[in-house]
Amino acid sequence: MSIMEVSGLRKVYSSRLGGNTVEALKNVNFSVEKGEFVAIMGESGSGKTTLLNILAALDRPTSGRVLLDGLDLSKIKDSLMAQFRRDNLGFVFQEFNLLDTFTLEDNIFLPLVLAGTPYREMEDRLRPIAARLGIPGLLKKYPYEVSGGQKQRAAVARAMITNPKIILADEPTGALDSRASDELLKLFAEVNALGQTILLVTHSVKAASVAKRVLFIKDGEVYHQLYRGEDGDEQFYRRISDSLKVMATGGREE
């Protein structure tokens, strides 16, 4: 069952005077199944950031549509958009986006506070998530008191606590060292194994190799896709690397 359906997506940016236009997305079509873990890869300028912004309801397409659990995002009123994102989407960013004046616990609670959730319910929701992510002992600390990997675990907890239909992760390992990156990727795999749908945008082959499917974006279109199948992480890593090499040579074998 598809949780997200993207069809005929096109995005054109115009200069302020209308003289120049850039077609960032041309005709993007794909779906994401409930419980799937999909990575999106592409070079800078390929359109993947534009795509993520549209999927996150932060931007609207020029044409085409995105359905999340059957709801057309373009039909949502601007006045209700923030509430829609808070209730349906979880976000994990490269730079964590934690407030330094809040404890990790308060940062995690923030979307629930904005939704008017009772404190007891917030505590009940956080307890199993914090245990799963290994951060119960860190909740009263402030972001500047913990490591980058611990900050990102808190960011994942914040994304999960609203029980989102899908988690959107934008280069989540980009600000982490290799050890913290490995821990975070393992964490994403574990969260996905519990049934959470994840869409990950990344430049990292290693990060993408944890996903179950990889979409390659080139020149504003879905150029190719790979399914993990029975591959382990190392096998999938090699297949992803090979696909990127083919993309870089325009489909020609070296």
Side-chain angles (χ1 to χ4, degrees), residues 3 37 39 47 52 55 80 92 122 149 154 165 228 237 242 247:
I3 189 76
F37 187 171
L52 179 67
L55 300 183
L80 300 176
V92 181
M122 293 195 293
K165 291 185 171 123
R228 169 185 288 275
Y237 182 103
D242 290 343
M247 283 178 64

Side-chain angles (χ1 to χ4, degrees), residues 3-4 32 68 88-90 164-168 196-199:
I3 189 76
M4 176 175 279
V32 177
L68 182 63
N88 294 279
L89 304 173
K165 291 185 171 123
I166 188 167
I167 287 178
L168 300 172
Q196 176 65 61
T197 310
I198 301 174
L199 189 65

Side-chain angles (χ1 to χ4, degrees), residues 7-10 23 25-29 220-222:
S7 57
L9 210 61
R10 183 170 177 260
E23 192 174 29
L25 298 175
K26 295 179 181 177
N27 182 31
V28 176
N29 301 277
E221 298 180 281
V222 177

Side-chain angles (χ1 to χ4, degrees), residues 25-96:
L25 298 175
K26 295 179 181 177
N27 182 31
V28 176
N29 301 277
F30 67 91
S31 61
V32 177
E33 300 300 307
K34 188 173 183 179
E36 198 174 8
F37 187 171
V38 178
I40 296 178
M41 299 193 77
E43 296 178 347
S44 296
S46 63
K48 66 182 186 302
T49 300
T50 298
L51 176 60
L52 179 67
N53 287 339
I54 292 174
L55 300 183
L58 296 169
D59 197 2
R60 294 184 185 271
T62 302
S63 59
R65 65 180 188 172
V66 177
L67 300 181
L68 182 63
D69 210 11
L71 177 65
D72 189 339
L73 301 193
S74 67
K75 305 298 184 185
I76 302 171
K77 294 180 180 178
D78 288 342
S79 59
L80 300 176
M81 192 61 82
Q83 179 182 338
F84 169 81
R85 286 193 294 266
R86 186 180 65 230
D87 294 344
N88 294 279
L89 304 173
F91 297 95
V92 181
F93 303 96
Q94 178 176 337
E95 298 296 336
F96 320 125

Side-chain angles (χ1 to χ4, degrees), residues 25 31 39 51 76 78 83 85 95 101 128 131 133 147 153 162 181 183 191-193 218 220-221 236 240 251:
L25 298 175
S31 61
L51 176 60
I76 302 171
D78 288 342
Q83 179 182 338
R85 286 193 294 266
E95 298 296 336
T101 54
L133 301 186
S147 69
R153 284 173 178 263
T162 58
S181 294
E183 290 176 353
V191 169
N192 174 246
K218 183 176 181 180
E221 298 180 281
F236 202 31
I240 294 168

Side-chain angles (χ1 to χ4, degrees), residues 48 96 116 119 141 171 197-198 233-234 237 246 250-252:
K48 66 182 186 302
F96 320 125
Y119 186 73
K141 292 183 178 293
E171 298 285 2
T197 310
I198 301 174
D233 287 356
E234 289 187 14
Y237 182 103
V246 171
R252 301 183 303 276

